[in-house]
């Protein structure tokens, strides 16, 4: 059976054949009269012909989408879906006003809510929300099952990276420019988590009790021999592994390397603030926290006085 027969049915087919025959008779008469039209179909035949034309146009559009899908590699579809899911999860975190890693294991506790949010916002950022279902490779990755599978796999991956125990340690003199000459004699301790690339720089002067911490990976050169990074874009994916407990490992290893140094908190990023609060609760004399009532008096505390002091959460107005 032809496509035309499938669409029109036997009765419709007969009508078309009759219309074509009538048109040919008309053409023969015109030729006999010297007419110049090679073929003239009556209006009835043209109405029947419009139906297959509309079908052809629809199928052509579907075929073009299919061809375009084949031209995009499987890897690229995976990347598009991953970017869309991750962006939606970041948006969900923003709505929830939390800095927790979006792929933290606790996300599994609210997985249905997260997946529903992503389904509602999928494709919005890149402007393809209305055609997701018309692109089979993308629709498969961005349906409910595909989104849930991606989240579970990504959580497992990040947990595996965070669990890697290898830490790289480097002691070296500070690299100071002319403007920083007043800091001459400063020493640096850099601790880096090998698997994730997360790192922190601990700055101190030998003989002085208090040091400072710089924990923004994009401003610290990697000490990993196997990690190649662009100096202008160091550790571009550091946020992927923030909030998974890696920072705690870095800071505590630094404390082991320099047991006589206390670490102040003059400038702490929003990501590091919860970590500093946690460390302060464990060792209040060693780690200063802006979120504790002892913040102002911390510099003068002894280990004994710090242990005996009452440490309460301090409310602070958000910085503008």
């Amino acid at each position: 059976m032809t496509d035309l027969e499938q669409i029109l049915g036997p009765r419709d087919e007969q009508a078309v054949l009759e219309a074509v025959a009538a048109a040919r008779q008309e053409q023969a008469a015109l030729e006999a009269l010297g007419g110049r039209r090679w073929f003239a179909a009556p209006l009835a035949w043209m109405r029947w012909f419009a139906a297959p034309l509309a079908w052809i146009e629809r199928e052509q559009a579907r075929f073009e989408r299919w061809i375009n899908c084949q031209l995009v590699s499987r890897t690229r579809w995976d990347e598009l879906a991953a970017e869309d899911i991750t962006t939606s999860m970041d948006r969900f975190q923003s709505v929830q006003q939390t800095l927790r890693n979006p792929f933290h294991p606790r996300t599994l506790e609210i997985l249905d809510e997260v997946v529903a949010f992503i389904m509602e916002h999928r494709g919005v950022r890149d402007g393809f929300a209305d055609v997701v279902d018309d692109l089979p490779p993308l629709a498969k990755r961005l349906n409910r099952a595909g989104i849930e599978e991606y989240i579970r796999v990504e959580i497992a991956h990040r947990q595996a990276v965070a669990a890697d125990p290898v830490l790289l340690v480097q002691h070296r003199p500070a690299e100071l420019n002319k403007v920083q000459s007043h800091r001459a004699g400063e020493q640096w301790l850099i601790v880096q988590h090998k698997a994730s690339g997360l790192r922190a720089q601990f700055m101190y002067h030998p003989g002085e009790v208090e040091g400072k911490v710089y924990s923004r990976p994009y401003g610290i050169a990697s000490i990993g021999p196997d990690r190649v990074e662009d100096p202008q874009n160091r550790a571009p994916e550091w946020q992927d592994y923030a909030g998974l407990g890696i920072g705690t490992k870095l800071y505590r290893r630094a404390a082991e390397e320099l047991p006589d140094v206390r670490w102040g908190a003059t400038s702490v990023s929003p990501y590091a603030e919860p970590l500093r609060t946690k460390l302060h609760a464990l060792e209040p004399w060693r780690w200063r926290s802006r979120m504790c009532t002892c913040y102002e008096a911390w510099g003068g505390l002894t280990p004994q006085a710090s242990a005996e002091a009452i440490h309460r959460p301090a409310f602070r107005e958000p910085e503008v």
Side-chain angles (χ1 to χ4, degrees):
M1 182 178 290
T2 65
D3 291 340
L4 188 62
E5 290 172 336
Q6 290 178 339
I7 294 172
L8 301 178
R11 294 182 179 179
D12 295 337
E13 180 186 5
Q14 183 61 37
V16 170
L17 292 176
E18 293 175 358
V20 171
R24 285 175 177 168
Q25 291 178 359
E26 181 186 6
Q27 182 66 28
L30 287 172
E31 288 178 350
L33 295 172
R36 298 185 178 278
R37 288 183 298 170
W38 292 101
F39 186 83
L43 291 178
W45 183 83
M46 292 297 291
R47 282 196 298 271
W48 287 115
F49 191 62
L53 274 180
W55 176 81
I56 291 172
E57 290 176 355
R58 288 195 301 270
E59 290 304 304
Q60 181 180 4
R62 289 180 57 188
F63 181 72
E64 288 176 353
R65 285 196 297 271
W66 181 84
I67 287 293
N68 290 335
C69 289
Q70 304 309 306
L71 294 177
V72 178
S73 68
R74 176 179 178 179
T75 299
R76 184 52 184 153
W77 286 121
D78 289 341
E79 291 174 350
L80 286 172
E83 291 172 5
D84 194 67
I85 293 172
T86 301
T87 300
S88 295
M89 291 190 73
D90 288 340
R91 186 181 293 116
F92 179 82
Q93 295 291 91
S94 178
V95 171
Q96 299 295 315
Q97 297 183 335
T98 175
L99 293 174
R100 179 190 301 161
N101 191 293
F103 293 97
H104 190 280
R106 292 187 64 180
T107 298
L108 296 175
E109 299 173 6
I110 54 171
L111 186 57
D112 289 343
E113 181 181 355
V114 173
V115 172
F117 183 90
I118 295 173
M119 287 289 293
E120 182 180 353
H121 295 85
R122 64 180 188 173
V124 173
R125 179 185 65 119
D126 296 315
F128 56 77
D130 57 335
V131 296
V132 168
D133 292 327
D134 290 332
L135 301 171
L138 197 58
K140 180 180 179 181
R141 290 163 171 80
L142 293 180
N143 63 19
R144 186 171 298 276
I147 293 170
E148 182 175 328
E149 179 184 7
Y150 178 84
I151 292 174
R152 291 184 181 278
V153 170
E154 188 64 21
I155 287 176
H157 164 70
R158 297 195 187 192
Q159 281 298 293
V161 171
D164 191 291
V166 179
L167 296 176
L168 306 175
V169 177
Q170 183 184 83
H171 292 267
R172 70 184 186 203
E175 298 175 2
L176 305 176
N177 56 38
K178 294 180 180 179
V179 179
Q180 300 170 314
S181 58
H182 62 286
R183 293 166 54 188
E186 184 176 88
Q187 297 291 309
W188 288 354
L189 164 64
I190 298 172
V191 183
Q192 178 169 322
H193 185 246
K194 184 178 181 180
S196 68
L198 282 181
R199 50 211 183 240
Q201 182 172 288
F202 301 84
M203 304 170 288
Y204 65 100
H205 281 81
E208 295 185 8
V209 177
E210 186 175 338
K212 299 178 181 179
V213 184
Y214 182 70
S215 60
R216 293 169 174 80
Y218 50 80
I220 306 171
S222 173
I223 61 174
D226 301 328
R227 181 173 290 273
V228 179
E229 295 177 349
D230 180 354
Q232 303 301 320
N233 189 26
R234 292 173 177 155
E237 299 177 353
W238 69 273
Q239 286 181 310
D240 288 354
Y241 303 104
L244 295 175
I246 298 173
T248 302
K249 297 179 182 179
L250 301 178
Y251 280 58
R252 301 196 77 170
R253 178 59 183 274
E256 293 175 4
E257 291 284 322
L258 302 168
D260 298 325
V261 180
R262 306 175 73 194
W263 302 102
T266 54
S267 178
V268 180
S269 71
Y271 290 96
E273 191 74 72
L275 168 60
R276 295 301 294 261
T277 302
K278 174 183 175 181
L279 291 170
H280 179 74
L282 294 173
E283 297 182 84
W285 177 83
R286 186 175 303 281
W287 303 99
R288 189 178 191 181
S289 172
R290 295 187 302 173
M291 303 306 293
C292 183
T293 50
C294 76
Y295 178 78
E296 299 297 338
W298 182 85
L301 294 176
T302 64
Q304 182 177 351
S306 179
E308 295 174 350
I310 297 176
H311 302 277
R312 295 192 180 94
F315 174 78
R316 294 181 180 277
E317 293 292 340
E319 297 182 359
V320 180

